[in-house]
Amino acid sequence: MASKNLILNYKNKFGFSDKFIAKTGKHLLPYIQKLKKILKEKDNQRPESFLNLVESQILIEIKRLAYQKIKEAKILILIGIGGSSLGTQAIYETLRGEFNFGKEKKFPQTIFLDKSNVAYLNDVLNFLKQQTKSNREILIVLISKSGTTLESLINFNVLWQFLKRRGTNFKNNVVVITERNSLLWQTAEKENFTLLEIPKAVSGRYSVFSSVGLFPLAALKINIQKLIEGAKTMRNKCLEENVKDNPALILAAFLFWSQQKGKTIIDNFFFEPNLEILGKWLRQLLAESLGKNGRGLTPTVSLGTADLHSVFQLSLAGPRNKSTIFVFVAQPPRPRLSIKPLPEFKKLISSFQGKDVFEIIEAVYQSVKNVYAKKKLPFIEIILPEISEDSLGQFLMLQMMATIFLAKLWKINAFNQPAVELYKSLARKILAGKVKKFNND
Amino acid sequence: MASKNLILNYKNKFGFSDKFIAKTGKHLLPYIQKLKKILKEKDNQRPESFLNLVESQILIEIKRLAYQKIKEAKILILIGIGGSSLGTQAIYETLRGEFNFGKEKKFPQTIFLDKSNVAYLNDVLNFLKQQTKSNREILIVLISKSGTTLESLINFNVLWQFLKRRGTNFKNNVVVITERNSLLWQTAEKENFTLLEIPKAVSGRYSVFSSVGLFPLAALKINIQKLIEGAKTMRNKCLEENVKDNPALILAAFLFWSQQKGKTIIDNFFFEPNLEILGKWLRQLLAESLGKNGRGLTPTVSLGTADLHSVFQLSLAGPRNKSTIFVFVAQPPRPRLSIKPLPEFKKLISSFQGKDVFEIIEAVYQSVKNVYAKKKLPFIEIILPEISEDSLGQFLMLQMMATIFLAKLWKINAFNQPAVELYKSLARKILAGKVKKFNND
C-alpha cells in the first residue's frame, strides 16, 4: 500500500535558494552513489548499513519472539540509555500519547529505565511489589551495544536482586540485546538469557530499526511492519539523485546554509505536544552526530502552542542565531471537538465560538509561520500526514539521512562520539579512589 | 526554623573573576536599594513587587479555601498556560516524582491542561467519564492573568460543556484566578465562581508565589508555608549589598559575563531527572524575560546522566558557544540502594560492585565537572540541599532575582513580552477569515 507522504516545505525568500540546494546536491552526489552501492551489495560492514535494516527480513522472527515473551508479562521494563532507548520511547510515546491515566490496562505497562536515579528506582521496585505476584509477570529487556553501559548495568543489577529475592524461575524473563561477543553477550549466553544482536557496524543512535527498537515495540503491540515500510519509502526517496525530490538533501542543505549564516541553534518546533519525545530522540541524533571538530548545531525542542508563551519572545526579539524546523501533523484527530456557544462566556470566546479546536490551533500555526516570514526568521516545514507508524518511520529515516548528509558536507564522522568516553573512564577512576573529587577552588 | 541552604559555587579560572563580580555588584547596587525600598514601603505598584508576595499574609486563607475545595474532589484540573501553570507544575512534579504508576491514589489526581490538543482533550474527557460519577468529584482551576488566553478559554469551554451535560450542580467546582476586573473576572463574578486575584503589577512568570501557584499547590497537599519560607530566605540573601554573599548577583554576573564572551547558550544541566520540569519553568523565565532588543541567552535543559549520552559530545567538541549551570541535589534519597555482588555478572560490574547507586552517580557528576574544567568550558554550580518545598522556594526565587538583575545590567524590561502578542492577534484575524493562510511560495 502506498504511504501517505510526509511533506517537506521550504521558503526561498531568506536566501536559502534552489540554487544553493542544487549546489549542495552536487557535493553530495558521490556520497549518495556510495550509499546506493552499500544497499545494492548488502554491505553490512559500514556504519551507513543502518539503511539496510529496513529490508525487514527479521521482522517475522522478531514479532514471534516478542509476542511469546510478552504473553504472560503484564509489565515490560526496558533498560537502556541514549540510542538504546530513545528511538523506542519516541515511537511508543508518540503513538500512545502522553496522557497515561487509566490507559495502562490496554497495553502492557511500560517502564523505560533510562536513568540511574535512586528515587526512581525505588519507585519502580515498589510498583513491581504492588502490581506483580510473580516474576513471570515481568519482562526485562536489557539493551546496551557495548555491553558495558554503566547506568544500564546498575539498573539491571538492582532489578535482578529483586527478581532473585522473589523466586528462582526468572531467566526466561530477560531478553538481552547487545553486540555479538561483547562481554554482556558472553555472560547472557552462559546464563541462557534470550539474546538478540545489534549489528556491529550500526551505532546506537541509528539503530532504531534493528532489534533495539523493533523487539520492544513489537512486544508493545506497535505495528513494526508499517514502521519499517514508512522508513523504507523515505530511504528510497532520500537516495534520489534529483535534488528537488530528495527531502533529506534539502533538509541537510538548509542546516548547512544555516550554519554558514551564523544560525548556530536549530529549534525543532513541534506543533503537536505528543511529539515532544521525538524531539529528545532528534536532539541526541543531531548533537552527538554533528558535535565534532568545533562544528555543530545546538538542537532545541519547542512545543506549540505552549512555548509560544515562552521561547517565542526570544526567537522573535532576541539574537538572530536560530533556524527553525516546524513539524505539524496534517490529520486532525478524531473525534473532533468544537467550541460550543456558552451564553455565560459569550463575550470571552466570541472570536472562536463554533470553531473546531483543531482549526483554531491550525490558525495559530499559520499565524506563527506568518510572523516568522515577516520577521525573516529562516524556517523549513515538515508536515506529517498523521500520527502513525508509517509517518514516524518516514520522519525518523528522514532525520537520520539528513544528519549523515550534513556530516558529509562538514567532513566529519557522523557515527562516533569520542567525547562521551571521557567522563566514563574518569568516573570509574573516581569510584576506584584513584582520582580525587572535583574541587571548586 | 533555619533553612538548609542552597549553595552556589563558581570557579574563577575561566576568566569569570571575583573582580568581575565586584564590578557588576557596583552597577547593581542602586537597583538593589530600589528593591529594598519596594519591600519596605510595601509598594505593590511595580512589577518587582513579586518580592513582596512571600510575606505570606494570605497563606492561611488560601490554605483554608484550597482544603475546602479539594475535600470532595478526586481530580484537580489546572487550566493555564505559560506563567499560569509552569511554576505550579515545576514544584508539584519535582516533589512528587515523575513515576506516576500506582501513585495516583495517594494524592488528588492532577491534570495540567496546558495545551489545546484535540487528542489530549479527548483523553481527558474519557478519563473523567470513567473515573468520576458526579461533577462534585472534579475541581477546575482556571488561571489566566489577562483573562483572554486563547488556549485556556478553549479548554475551559470544552470541560464546561462536559460538566453541563452531566448535571446542574457544578458552579462550586470552579475556581477562577485572574486579574481584578478583567473580562474573565467580571464573568466569573456574575456566574458566582470562586475568585482569586493575581496582583496586577506581577507578570505571569513571576507569579508562582501568588495565588496562581499557592492555591493549586495547597489543594495538592504541598506545604506552601515551607515553600514561601525558602523563597523569603533567598530573597533576603539576594538583597545583600555585600556581593560575595548575594547568590543572585553572582549568577547574574556569570550570565552577563557569558554573553560578553560570546556564550549565547545557557545549558541548565540538572543532575537529577525529577528536576526536568523545573527546567521548563526556567526556560520560560529566561527566554521571555531576556529575549529583547536583540539581547538574550538561549536556555537549554540537559539531564544527567541521560544527556551525557547525547548533548555531552556537542558541549565538549562542538562550538564553544555555551555556559553551563549544573544543578545537583546533595541529599541522597532514602532508602539507599547498593550494587550487590552477582556471581553471574561479576566481570561486568567489577568496578562498582558494592557501591551505593547515589555514590556512583555522584562520581559521574564529579567526573563531568572535571572534564568541563579541564576543557575550560565555563560553568557554575547550584547545590540544592534536598528535594523539598524549602529548597524549591529558594531555587525559584534565586532564578527570578538573577533574571531581573541581568535585565537591569542589559537595560531591558524583564517583565513584558511584546512579541508574544504578535501571533495572538494574527491568529484571531485568520480565524475571522480576514487574513489568508500562509503560503510557502
Side-chain angles (χ1 to χ4, degrees), chain A residues 98 115 122 151 161 276 280 283-284 288 291 294 298 305 307 309 313 317 322 335 340 355 419 431 438, chain B residues 98 115 122 151 161 276 280 283-284 288 291 294 298 305 307 309 313 317 322 335 340 355 419 431:
Chain A
E98 66 171 316
K115 56 197 138 261
N122 276 323
E151 294 88 344
Q161 295 294 343
E276 180 170 15
K280 288 192 184 176
R283 207 167 59 113
Q284 185 201 15
E288 203 168 355
T298 296
T305 63
D307 284 333
H309 290 246
Q313 172 69 37
K322 295 179 182 59
K340 304 262 170 60
K355 302 277 178 188
L431 280 170
F438 184 80
Chain B
E98 66 171 316
K115 56 197 139 259
N122 276 321
E151 295 87 345
Q161 295 295 341
E276 179 170 15
K280 287 192 184 174
R283 206 168 60 113
Q284 185 203 13
E288 204 168 354
T298 296
T305 65
D307 285 332
H309 290 244
Q313 171 70 35
K322 295 179 183 59
K340 303 261 168 61
K355 301 277 178 189
L431 280 169

Side-chain angles (χ1 to χ4, degrees), chain A residues 2-194:
Chain A
S3 299
K4 287 185 203 166
N5 287 329
L6 177 154
I7 294 167
L8 185 87
N9 287 327
Y10 65 96
K11 204 173 156 59
N12 55 17
K13 286 176 185 163
F14 312 113
F16 175 63
S17 64
D18 287 322
K19 212 173 130 189
F20 188 91
I21 295 172
K23 219 172 68 183
T24 310
K26 261 185 215 154
H27 281 296
L28 278 176
L29 194 59
Y31 190 49
I32 290 177
Q33 284 161 350
K34 184 184 152 190
L35 296 179
K36 280 178 159 173
K37 202 166 154 242
I38 288 172
L39 210 67
K40 204 176 152 196
E41 293 176 357
K42 299 195 173 75
D43 172 1
N44 288 326
Q45 305 306 307
R46 293 170 192 279
E48 287 91 347
S49 60
F50 76 88
L51 296 174
N52 296 342
L53 291 170
V54 296
E55 293 300 331
S56 78
Q57 301 92 330
I58 56 165
L59 276 190
I60 293 167
E61 193 187 321
I62 280 193
K63 256 199 239 173
R64 197 169 42 215
L65 182 65
Y67 291 175
Q68 177 210 321
K69 288 283 175 191
I70 203 66
K71 219 165 42 182
E72 286 188 277
K74 288 162 60 181
I75 298 174
L76 184 149
I77 302 177
L78 193 154
I79 302 177
I81 189 168
S84 297
S85 174
L86 278 172
T88 306
Q89 277 189 60
I91 294 163
Y92 180 71
E93 294 185 6
T94 298
L95 291 171
R96 290 292 179 250
E98 66 171 316
F99 189 82
N100 54 16
F101 284 131
K103 273 194 179 169
E104 300 94 27
K105 280 157 208 148
K106 285 194 207 157
F107 317 103
Q109 292 193 345
T110 317
I111 296 170
F112 291 100
L113 260 180
D114 59 348
K115 56 197 138 261
S116 295
N117 176 267
V118 179
Y120 192 78
L121 273 167
N122 276 323
D123 282 351
V124 170
L125 295 180
N126 283 331
F127 180 70
L128 294 178
K129 258 181 236 164
Q130 286 165 24
Q131 299 286 315
T132 65
K133 287 199 190 86
S134 96
N135 289 338
R136 296 167 66 172
E137 295 173 290
I138 302 167
L139 172 62
I140 295 177
V141 184
L142 169 60
I143 307 181
S144 166
K145 180 151 197 288
S146 66
T148 60
T149 312
L150 183 75
E151 294 88 344
S152 300
L153 292 177
I154 289 175
N155 289 335
F156 185 75
N157 183 289
V158 170
L159 278 179
W160 192 247
Q161 295 294 343
F162 172 84
L163 295 178
K164 253 190 154 171
R165 270 195 305 272
R166 204 155 69 169
T168 47
N169 178 27
F170 47 82
K171 293 215 169 169
N172 203 35
N173 300 56
V174 177
V175 175
V176 171
I177 306 180
T178 182
E179 209 173 87
R180 188 172 289 268
N181 291 329
S182 70
L183 187 53
L184 177 60
W185 177 282
Q186 292 166 26
T187 310
E189 215 165 32
K190 223 177 77 194
E191 295 297 318
N192 278 320
F193 294 141
T194 303

Side-chain angles (χ1 to χ4, degrees), chain B residues 355-404:
Chain B
K355 301 277 178 189
D356 186 271
V357 172
F358 182 79
E359 192 187 350
I360 300 172
I361 298 307
E362 204 189 359
V364 171
Y365 176 56
Q366 296 292 341
S367 81
V368 169
K369 279 197 295 175
N370 255 306
V371 172
Y372 270 60
K374 217 175 280 173
K375 298 273 174 182
K376 297 202 190 311
L377 297 173
F379 67 87
I380 205 165
E381 180 185 37
I382 295 174
I383 311 267
L384 295 183
E386 61 192 4
I387 294 192
S388 67
E389 282 88 344
D390 182 351
S391 268
L392 290 178
Q394 292 184 61
F395 182 82
L396 268 62
M397 184 56 90
L398 167 65
Q399 294 289 353
M400 292 194 284
M401 292 189 74
T403 302
I404 66 170

Side-chain angles (χ1 to χ4, degrees), chain A residues 13 24 148 176 187 224 261 278 321 336 359 372 390 416 432:
Chain A
K13 286 176 185 163
T24 310
T148 60
V176 171
T187 310
I224 58 174
K261 297 291 168 193
L278 214 54
N321 56 359
R336 307 293 290 263
E359 192 186 348
Y372 270 60
D390 183 351
N416 66 357

